[in-house]
C-alpha cells in the first residue's frame, strides 16, 4: 500500500487490518513521530485519564531490552504507570491505541509481554509493557477472514436479543489481540450495557497473571471505545456494584460500558 493511502486510514479501520509484525527494516522512524509517541495520550479515548503514565523510547541498538521470545526491532516503546488498581487496564487501553495509530502510519508493532529493561526504575512507576515497532519487512496487514478468533456467540452471554449498536462494539472487541491468542475475556450483555470479565488466574503466579489479564482487558476496551467514537455513541466506563458479585464461572468482573440512546436491535 502506498504511503498516501496509510495517511487516510483511521484507528477504527486499523482494528480490522492490523497484525503483529516480527520482522523489521532498519529504516529510521521520523523524529516527529517518535516525539508524538513520547507524549502519547491527549488524543486517546481512555478509561482513567487521571492516572499518571510515562512513555520512553529505546533504540534496538541500545541493547536495553531483553527477554525470552524478544522480537528484534529498531525501536521499543515502554509504558510506565502509577501503581494503582486500574493501572493495567488503563495501560492496555493506551498502548493498543498507540498500536493502531502506528498502523495508520504504515509502522508495524508487536507486544513484548516477556521483555524486560536493564533499567526499569522510572520515578516510582511500574513498567506495564514494552512494544517493539518499526517499518515492516513483512506484510503489515491481513484480511478480516485471516483473524483466528472465537465467534461472538462463544464470547458473549446474553438472555435476549443484542442491539445492533452493541454488536458494533462487540465485533471490534472480538478482534482484539492477546498473548498466544487466548482471548481471556467474556462479555455479558444486558439492555444498554456490556459487562467485561477476564479469566480467573491460577494460584501459581496469581498477581502476575492477573496483571496481564487486566492489561488485555484494557486492549479490549480500547477497541470498543474507538468503535463507539466511530459510530458517534456516548459511552461511559464504570464499575457497577450490582455486577461485582455476579461472576461468570471462573471469570472476574472488570467493568461495564454503558451506551446511551440505543436504537432497536437484533440477535448475535
Amino acid at each position: 500500500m502506498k504511503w498516501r493511502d496509510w495517511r487516510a486510514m483511521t484507528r477504527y479501520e486499523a482494528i480490522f487490518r492490523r497484525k503483529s509484525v516480527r520482522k523489521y527494516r532498519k529504516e529510521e522512524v521520523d523524529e516527529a513521530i517518535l516525539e508524538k509517541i513520547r507524549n502519547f495520550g491527549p488524543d486517546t479515548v481512555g478509561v482513567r485519564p487521571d492516572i499518571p503514565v510515562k512513555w520512553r523510547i529505546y533504540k534496538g541498538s541500545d541493547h536495553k531490552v531483553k527477554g525470552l521470545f524478544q522480537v528484534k526491532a529498531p525501536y521499543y516503546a515502554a509504558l510506565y504507570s502509577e501503581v494503582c488498581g486500574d493501572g493495567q487496564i488503563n495501560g492496555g487501553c493506551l498502548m493498543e491505541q498507540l498500536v493502531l495509530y502506528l498502523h495508520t502510519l504504515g509502522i508495524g508493532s508487536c507486544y513484548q509481554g516477556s521483555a524486560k529493561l536493564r533499567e526499569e526504575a522510572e520515578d516510582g512507576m511500574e513498567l506495564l509493557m514494552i512494544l517493539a515497532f518499526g517499518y515492516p519487512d513483512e506484510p503489515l496487514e491481513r484480511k478480516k477472514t485471516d483473524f483466528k478468533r472465537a465467534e461472538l456467540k462463544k464470547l458473549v452471554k446474553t438472555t435476549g436479543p443484542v442491539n445492533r449498536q452493541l454488536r458494533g462494539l462487540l465485533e471490534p472487541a472480538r478482534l482484539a489481540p492477546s498473548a498466544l491468542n487466548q482471548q481471556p475475556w467474556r462479555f455479558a450483555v444486558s439492555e444498554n450495557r456490556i459487562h467485561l470479565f477476564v479469566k480467573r488466574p491460577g494460584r501459581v503466579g496469581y498477581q502476575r497473571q492477573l496483571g496481564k489479564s487486566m492489561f488485555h482487558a484494557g486492549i479490549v476496551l480500547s477497541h470498543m471505545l474507538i468503535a463507539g467514537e466511530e459510530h458517534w455513541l456516548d459511552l461511559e466506563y464504570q464499575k457497577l456494584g450490582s455486577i461485582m458479585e455476579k461472576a461468570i464461572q471462573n471469570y472476574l468482573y472488570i467493568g461495564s460500558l454503558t451506551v446511551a440512546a440505543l436504537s432497536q436491535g437484533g440477535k448475535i
Side-chain angles (χ1 to χ4, degrees), residues 168-267:
L169 302 179
L170 290 167
E171 179 58 18
R174 184 182 75 87
L175 299 178
S178 59
L180 301 177
N181 201 26
Q182 294 177 333
Q183 294 181 269
W185 46 73
R186 293 296 182 269
F187 308 96
V189 178
S190 61
E191 298 180 354
N192 64 331
R193 291 193 176 106
I194 297 175
H195 310 292
L196 175 62
F197 298 79
V198 296
K199 190 172 182 61
R200 187 185 299 274
R203 293 183 179 181
V204 179
Y206 180 90
Q207 288 300 327
R208 178 174 175 78
Q209 292 182 61
L210 180 61
K212 287 186 175 182
S213 293
M214 295 292 187
F215 190 90
H216 287 135
I219 292 176
V220 171
L221 284 169
S222 74
H223 280 208
M224 289 194 284
L225 290 169
I226 289 172
E229 187 179 58
E230 175 73 14
H231 298 301
W232 297 86
L233 295 178
D234 184 12
L235 302 181
E236 181 183 5
Y237 171 74
Q238 55 190 163
K239 294 188 176 182
L240 303 174
S242 59
I243 303 296
M244 296 295 282
E245 302 301 325
K246 296 181 180 180
I248 298 176
Q249 187 175 11
N250 296 323
Y251 283 79
L252 300 173
Y253 173 66
I254 295 298
S256 304
L257 280 181
T258 301
V259 189
L262 288 176
S263 62
Q264 297 302 310
K267 297 181 179 180

Side-chain angles (χ1 to χ4, degrees), residues 85-133:
D86 285 336
Q88 293 280 357
I89 297 173
N90 187 63
C93 188
L94 288 175
M95 184 165 273
E96 179 64 7
Q97 289 182 66
L98 172 63
V99 163
L100 297 173
Y101 166 71
L102 291 175
H103 186 90
T104 66
L105 300 178
I107 298 173
S109 62
C110 185
Y111 284 102
Q112 302 294 282
S114 300
K116 297 181 180 181
L117 288 168
R118 299 183 188 279
E119 302 172 4
E120 292 195 17
E122 185 60 46
D123 300 328
M125 294 182 167
E126 67 173 329
L127 174 65
L128 297 185
M129 181 63 69
I130 297 174
L131 183 76
F133 71 96

Side-chain angles (χ1 to χ4, degrees), residues 42-168:
D43 296 327
T44 61
V45 184
V47 292
R48 286 289 304 276
D50 58 306
I51 298 178
V53 299
K54 186 169 184 178
W55 297 87
R56 292 190 66 181
I57 295 178
Y58 300 93
K59 287 188 175 182
S61 57
D62 294 337
H63 303 294
K64 290 189 175 182
V65 178
K66 61 179 182 178
L68 294 174
F69 313 114
Q70 177 189 344
V71 169
K72 302 298 182 182
Y75 299 94
Y76 298 91
L79 176 59
Y80 294 84
S81 170
E82 177 183 80
V83 180
C84 62
D86 285 336
Q88 293 280 357
I89 297 173
N90 187 63
C93 188
L94 288 175
M95 184 165 273
E96 179 64 7
Q97 289 182 66
L98 172 63
V99 163
L100 297 173
Y101 166 71
L102 291 175
H103 186 90
T104 66
L105 300 178
I107 298 173
S109 62
C110 185
Y111 284 102
Q112 302 294 282
S114 300
K116 297 181 180 181
L117 288 168
R118 299 183 188 279
E119 302 172 4
E120 292 195 17
E122 185 60 46
D123 300 328
M125 294 182 167
E126 67 173 329
L127 174 65
L128 297 185
M129 181 63 69
I130 297 174
L131 183 76
F133 71 96
Y135 290 109
D137 197 23
E138 66 179 44
L140 181 63
E141 294 195 333
R142 58 182 158 187
K143 298 178 181 178
K144 185 179 177 181
T145 53
D146 294 330
F147 280 82
K148 296 180 180 179
R149 301 288 192 271
E151 297 179 5
L152 268 182
K153 62 183 180 181
K154 295 182 179 180
L155 301 174
V156 178
K157 180 179 180 181
T158 181
T159 57
V162 176
N163 181 278
R164 64 178 179 81
Q165 292 172 319
L166 291 182
R167 284 186 282 122

